[in-house]
Amino acid sequence: MKKGIFIAMAALGLALFAVPEAHGVDGQTLNMSISGGNHIASDMDGVPTPVDGQALTALQVGIAKGSGNPSLFSTATLQEAPEDPSQWPPDCPAQLPVGNDISVTIVFTYNDGSLLSVATEAGSFYCTDGVNFTVNAVGT
């Protein structure tokens, strides 16, 4: 396990040093606001809706302001929320109580051609009221 952690830390360090524009104000933390478009393959009356219990996949493209102003391409896969409220993520706020697991991969592309890839890991989840969404993401 420790070997994997050190390899992951080394890879992240390489990404941050290989992409100097990616640094935030403090020299390490990424600090961006993102604008762009979102394409969802299935919806019902404009609400993202998984088909036949399958995970919902959405594609995003856009540009980030801050930390080098990269363009981005992203995929997000949302597992359908269970009908039983006891199975919803316990950390969802009362106004967005429904949720389940989410998996996101984002690739940032900088003007000099450098790439920075960000991916979520287990423990990432979304919360929704059926129209508004929030995401709690952890990853590398």
Side-chain angles (χ1 to χ4, degrees):
M1 181 70 171
K2 285 184 181 180
K3 182 177 180 181
I5 291 171
F6 289 123
I7 291 172
M9 287 174 48
L12 180 59
L14 178 61
L16 290 177
F17 287 111
V19 187
E21 295 177 10
H23 294 297
V25 175
D26 66 0
Q28 294 181 351
T29 305
L30 293 176
N31 183 8
M32 300 179 203
S33 60
I34 297 173
S35 328
N38 190 32
H39 174 74
I40 299 172
S42 62
D43 69 83
M44 184 175 293
D45 298 324
V47 176
T49 308
V51 177
D52 298 328
Q54 299 296 314
L56 175 80
T57 299
L59 304 173
Q60 299 83 33
V61 294
I63 189 162
K65 295 295 182 187
S67 294
N69 303 328
S71 60
L72 67 97
F73 178 80
S74 173
T75 61
T77 303
L78 294 77
Q79 298 299 321
E80 186 171 14
E83 291 185 27
D84 180 359
S86 68
Q87 295 179 357
W88 297 340
D91 294 329
C92 285
Q95 66 272 28
L96 302 170
V98 180
N100 204 349
D101 296 338
I102 188 169
S103 173
V104 180
T105 301
I106 304 172
V107 176
F108 295 104
T109 305
Y110 291 85
N111 287 337
D112 67 357
S114 299
L115 300 174
L116 178 62
S117 180
V118 179
T120 59
E121 296 174 351
S124 298
F125 60 92
Y126 71 91
C127 303
T128 184
D129 61 5
V131 176
N132 300 300
F133 282 80
T134 185
V135 174
N136 184 348
V138 295
T140 54

